[in-house]
Amino acid sequence: MYIKYVTIQGFKSYREKTVCGPLSPKHNSVVGFNGTGKSNFFAALKFVLGDNKNFLRPEERSKLLNEGAGASVLTACVEIVFDNSDQRMDSEREEVTIMRMVGLKKDEYFVNGKHVKRNEIQDMLEIAGVSKSNPYYIVEQGKVTAITLMGDGKRLALIKDVAGTNVYDEKKTESEKILASSLTDMETIRNNLEMIEARLEKLDKEKQELSKYYALDRERRCLHYALLSKRIQVLRKKLTELDRKKEELKTDSGRDSLMCQVLQTNKELLMRSTDDLGTRLQSIAEEREALNVDEDRHTEAELKQKGRVEHVLQATEKRNMEIKANTASLVKVEATVTKLEDSVQKIELKIQQHKEQQAKTLEEYHAVDRERNNLQAIRSRSDYPNQASRDKFINTELSNFEKVLDSRQNDSSQATAEIRNCEGAKLDLEKRAAEIRTQMIFLSKHQGKQAATLCANYKERVTTKQQIVVLQRLRDEYKVHKLKLKKDFDEMDFSSPTGCAEALIFLEDYCKRNKIDGYHGPLIDLIQCNERYYTAVEQTGGRQMFSVVVDDQHIASRLVEAMQVEKSGCRMTFMPLSKLQPHKTHFPQGLQDAEPLSRCIKSDAKFRVAVDQVFGSTLLCSDLEVANKYRREYDLECVTMDGDQVQRKGAIKGGYHDHTNSKLKQNQQKREQSKANVELDVKEEAAKMELQEWEQKHVQLETKKKQLENAQNKSDSNFLNKQQEDISSNIRYNDEDITTHKNVIEKNTNEIKELQHKIDTLRDQLGQIFSQTITGDQTKRLSELTQKHTHLERQQREEEATKRELTQEQNQKESARQNALSEVENLEQAVAKLQYESSVDSVEMEQLKLRDLGNQIQVCSENNSAKENEHAQVTELLRRENDELKLVENKIKSQSNQNGKVKNQLSSIALDHEKCQKDKNVNEKQMMAIGFLPGAHDKYKDNSEKNLVDSLANVTDKLGKFKNVNKKAMDQFNQFTDQKEKFKERISELESGKNSILKLIRSLDQKKEKALHTTIKMVAHHFAEVFNTIVPDCEGKIIMKTDDKQEVTGIGFEVRFEVGGSIISEMNELSGGQKTVVALSIIFAIQRCDPAPFYLFDEVDANLDPMYRGAVANMISQQKQEKDGPNSNCQFVTSSFHEELVKAADNHWLVSFSGMSRMNKGSLDSQLKILRKNVTDRESKI
């Protein structure tokens, strides 16, 4: 084991983290200038390993922290890593880390990162050989000097520490303390024994007096016990009587409370019923008010409708007259249109004949004009010098005329195309006009049918409304009847036990919602019997008749869980048919005045087992005498026709029974009314369905009415007339366009003929031989042609004037015809409009509306009367409900007063009961305080209470004489006797312990003496070896000094530093170097007696002479090389300013300081340089 790494941070001059390692397992040298922090390095190692202070004060911890420039250091930490490959430390790890961390408020140890206590660290190091009793494995500066200054006694103390005599001294001191304490205890116990002996003598007399007192006290307690027993018996009887009265009152109170609950439930139902009736009355009032408003509205509408009917009659008569007049005018205008059409056709024929004549005249004119122009051209050739000039002029004219001709032909073609388009549009318009005329004819025929259809639709709607009113009235009647049935039904629910009605309602609803088939309802709903057996059956069945019958226990469990989950607050008894096993009772045969009750009850075979369970063991008898007879003879449960019950053991239960309040009868009525209610529900549902059908039919009729009105609006004749007018206007516009285009074509045709004539003339001229003179014949011919040409021009003008006259006449006739046609259309439209208005303003329809308003007024009146009757019925029901409510409230008040009286009686009984119970408890506590006394009760049980009181007083007077008796004498006597025995045993134990302690002390002294002498011998032996090693051929001895008693008083020495020199035994006689040799010899000798795994030397060779320094270095080198022996494989960490130890080291470390201390690994040369520089600096200072 050796130190492998040392890490320092924040400790003294080592501000920042400094790591020194890995260290050599042999010899490590640490060198640095003065003030660099070498001693702080060894202080850090001692801080972890050898600091014997258990607690550092804050100022001591503060001194350990670095105080350099910069931020304050709050924590100092030193960590040592040991190589534990030899398992010398108590750890399985090959490396063990020990760290100590100190701050201003903390001082902590860690082993391998785990927080531990300081004692654990010391124990671990002790096991590894680092003993706290031998602190010389760390030799700091000054420790060698301290040994040189020690006297013999201090050297002896040092040897004692090494020998471990402190352990023996501590044990001896502890044993002596125990011995002194034992002696003190023995003396105290002896004194106490003397006191106890004296006290026991006195207590013996008091014990005899106490025995007499106990005899009298036992008699007193027996008398008191008997007296208390008698009083408790009396109180128990009184309490029993009070409990009996209390139970009777509670029974009456429970019955009264049950009645109060029933009355309260009745009151709540009545209040709900009155609220419902009040709401219904308010609703009826609102409905009557609405009916009055409707009646007034219908009456006002009736008056308006009457005026409407009169107006329609007058308007219809007026329209008929207008239709006749318009029809006559239409006939006249149509005749005029026919005449005008004939005239237009005749004029068109004349115009056509005139156009043919104009064409012949124009053709003749062109021929004359062509020949005339040719002759004139011959005469005018003198204007041209030659033929070429003439031809050029003529070609130019031809070109111009041909261009104009092409333009006119194009215009004619376009006009022809426009005419075709206009004629096509005209055909479409005429086709559409024909369709509209067809529609108008159809409309005039269809309007009558539509009016009839609307009238029929209106009649059907009126009928539907009447049927709806009838069904609504029937539905309201059903509601009133159901309200009465519900009232009677709610009254009958009061006959069931408290809570049963609510529970049954919940179960009925739950089973319907969850579709549970195994639920059959209460037993009372499943049985039937003759009315004369009602009383006997009810008294026998009791509450069991309201038990619910189910198929098996699983359904029963499910229903119970449902009632618990829903927190319905109800309780119910269930009868699972699968688990019922009724007792089979054997009834006697042939009885004339009795029969089994179960035979009088009818039920479904499935539920027979439930009937037998409740009624199967009861015999129905004619009277009470017969019942008693059969009960004694056959040991049977019997019941009479009047409901009196005779039980097997003889108890008779009976009295008056109100037959009018029979539960079976009310249940039968309830079933009948439920059946009636179901029938009413069916009828109401049927009425609702029929009402829905009629309402749907009414909606369909309204829809059909709207469809007819929409169709009527779409086929409006005004719309068709407007379309007809637009089409006529468009046709007229087309005719005008066609005429215009024809005129253009006609004009262009004439111009084309004229141009063609001119072109032909010019071409003829081009074909003639050029000549500049005209002949006589040609001149004569030219004169004739000129005259004829003039005549033809005049004839053309006349024909054109005639044509214009005919065209003007044609236009006038056509305009008159168009006006006549427009008048025809207007008259036809007027007639159609009048006919449409007649169909719309149907007299029959308006009269139907008038009758419908009258019917509605009658319905409102009838409904008002029905509501008035319903109001009277509901008012009567409300009056009855209020009267019944007052009666119930009076009963509740009376019952509450009765309950108050019962509560007062119960309170009085409770007070008496509490007082008696309190007295009883007091007496019982006194009896318990007296305790159990065998025979005490039997001895005085026949004595009266007065005798017991007198005897108790007599015994109490006798006990008064012993008022000063020591009642604890017996206990005290026994207690002191026990203490006496315990003290004797304690003295024996202390004597034995004293002898053992004395024996231990003697043994410790012997072991101490032996250990001291052994250690002195070992130190003396090793001292001689070490001294001889350091100072060869010389000797040194350790001398043990004793007194007259042969006890060791000190340790001296004898040394010889020169061969043949004198022996020196005093330190003062030695030089400084010799003193250091002696001190180091002692240290090395001690170390060899108690070897450690490592040694830390801080400048131990400072005062050695050069000759001895080399010897010490050689000894360290030899010791680190040893493989066997007490100091084998030990590690050295040394600090020195001399070369001998530095050269002997295996590993070299340098300490430097630059604001803080640092350690770095160096070499032998680097350390020697520092040593030599240090010597130079020291010599320079000298």
Side-chain angles (χ1 to χ4, degrees), residues 5-24:
Y5 292 95
V6 178
T7 303
I8 308 172
Q9 183 177 3
F11 184 83
K12 290 190 175 182
S13 61
Y14 292 90
R15 180 179 183 87
E16 294 183 354
K17 183 177 181 180
T18 299
V19 179
C20 179
L23 296 176
S24 171

Side-chain angles (χ1 to χ4, degrees), residues 571-589:
R571 298 182 64 83
M572 180 55 65
T573 302
F574 292 90
M575 299 177 69
L577 296 175
S578 62
K579 291 294 182 180
L580 294 179
Q581 295 179 354
H583 176 69
K584 293 184 179 180
T585 303
H586 298 285
F587 294 100
Q589 301 295 326

Side-chain angles (χ1 to χ4, degrees), residues 189-224:
I189 289 170
R190 288 190 181 97
N191 294 333
N192 289 335
L193 281 173
E194 293 176 1
M195 292 173 60
I196 288 172
E197 290 291 344
R199 181 63 177 156
L200 284 173
E201 290 179 4
K202 184 179 178 181
L203 287 173
D204 187 48
K205 296 177 182 179
E206 292 177 354
K207 185 175 69 170
Q208 294 175 4
E209 186 178 356
L210 183 62
S211 298
K212 295 178 183 179
Y213 171 80
Y214 279 154
L216 289 171
D217 184 65
R218 176 178 174 77
E219 186 176 0
R220 179 190 65 79
R221 287 191 295 120
C222 289
L223 289 168
H224 195 194

Side-chain angles (χ1 to χ4, degrees), residues 938-1031:
D938 296 336
K939 183 177 179 182
Y940 300 105
K941 67 179 181 179
D942 295 332
N943 292 6
S944 64
E945 185 176 351
K946 185 176 181 305
N947 292 336
L948 290 172
V949 172
D950 293 340
S951 300
L952 182 60
N954 187 19
V955 172
T956 303
D957 291 340
K958 290 180 181 180
L959 282 172
K961 297 176 182 180
F962 295 92
K963 61 182 178 179
N964 294 325
V965 70
N966 183 9
K967 297 180 180 179
K968 297 182 180 180
M970 187 66 70
D971 294 336
Q972 289 176 353
F973 183 83
N974 295 332
Q975 183 179 1
F976 280 113
T977 301
D978 293 339
Q979 285 183 357
K980 178 181 176 181
E981 295 299 327
K982 289 180 180 178
F983 281 147
K984 287 180 179 181
E985 292 176 0
R986 181 60 178 159
I987 287 175
S988 299
E989 291 175 358
L990 290 174
E991 284 289 346
S992 176
K994 171 187 171 185
N995 295 331
S996 298
I997 291 170
L998 290 173
K999 184 178 179 181
L1000 177 62
I1001 290 172
R1002 288 193 296 270
S1003 175
L1004 289 173
D1005 288 339
Q1006 292 173 1
K1007 290 180 179 179
K1008 173 186 173 184
E1009 195 71 22
K1010 182 179 179 181
L1012 180 59
H1013 282 81
T1014 302
T1015 303
I1016 291 173
K1017 289 178 181 179
M1018 291 175 65
V1019 171
H1021 172 71
H1022 292 304
F1023 177 81
E1025 287 182 351
V1026 172
F1027 187 82
N1028 190 29
T1029 302
I1030 297 174
V1031 187

Side-chain angles (χ1 to χ4, degrees), residues 816-874:
R817 188 179 72 83
Q818 292 295 333
N819 292 332
L821 288 173
S822 298
E823 188 176 357
V824 169
E825 289 179 358
N826 292 333
L827 289 172
E828 288 177 348
Q829 290 175 1
V831 171
K833 182 177 180 181
L834 290 171
Q835 290 176 348
Y836 172 74
E837 289 176 354
S838 297
S839 65
V840 172
D841 293 337
S842 173
V843 176
E844 184 181 3
M845 178 71 74
E846 298 301 329
Q847 289 175 347
L848 280 173
K849 290 181 180 179
L850 182 61
R851 285 197 296 274
D852 181 40
L853 287 171
N855 292 334
Q856 290 182 9
I857 292 170
Q858 183 179 358
V859 168
C860 288
S861 178
E862 292 174 354
N863 287 340
N864 207 345
S865 300
K867 292 298 178 184
E868 187 175 356
N869 294 333
E870 186 181 356
H871 187 277
Q873 293 176 2
V874 174

Side-chain angles (χ1 to χ4, degrees), residues 521-535:
L523 181 62
I524 193 172
D525 290 345
L526 305 176
I527 61 175
Q528 293 179 353
C529 64
N530 196 298
E531 189 172 351
R532 62 196 184 95
Y533 300 133
Y534 279 175
T535 303

Side-chain angles (χ1 to χ4, degrees), residues 196-287:
I196 288 172
E197 290 291 344
R199 181 63 177 156
L200 284 173
E201 290 179 4
K202 184 179 178 181
L203 287 173
D204 187 48
K205 296 177 182 179
E206 292 177 354
K207 185 175 69 170
Q208 294 175 4
E209 186 178 356
L210 183 62
S211 298
K212 295 178 183 179
Y213 171 80
Y214 279 154
L216 289 171
D217 184 65
R218 176 178 174 77
E219 186 176 0
R220 179 190 65 79
R221 287 191 295 120
C222 289
L223 289 168
H224 195 194
Y225 187 90
L227 179 62
L228 291 173
S229 180
K230 282 191 174 295
R231 288 178 178 175
I232 288 172
Q233 288 179 0
V234 173
L235 290 171
R236 281 176 178 167
K237 290 180 180 178
K238 189 173 182 181
L239 285 171
T240 302
E241 182 63 22
L242 289 172
D243 287 337
R244 186 187 62 78
K245 291 181 180 180
K246 181 180 177 181
E247 289 300 323
E248 290 179 356
L249 288 173
K250 278 187 176 180
T251 302
D252 296 339
S253 176
R255 188 164 50 251
D256 294 340
S257 298
L258 184 62
M259 182 59 69
C260 278
Q261 291 178 4
V262 172
L263 291 172
Q264 192 66 34
T265 304
N266 195 359
K267 178 183 176 182
E268 292 174 359
L269 291 173
L270 287 171
M271 290 177 70
R272 286 201 296 269
S273 179
T274 52
D275 291 341
D276 293 341
L277 290 173
T279 304
R280 182 58 187 160
L281 281 176
Q282 184 178 359
S283 175
I284 291 172
E286 292 174 355
E287 291 174 358

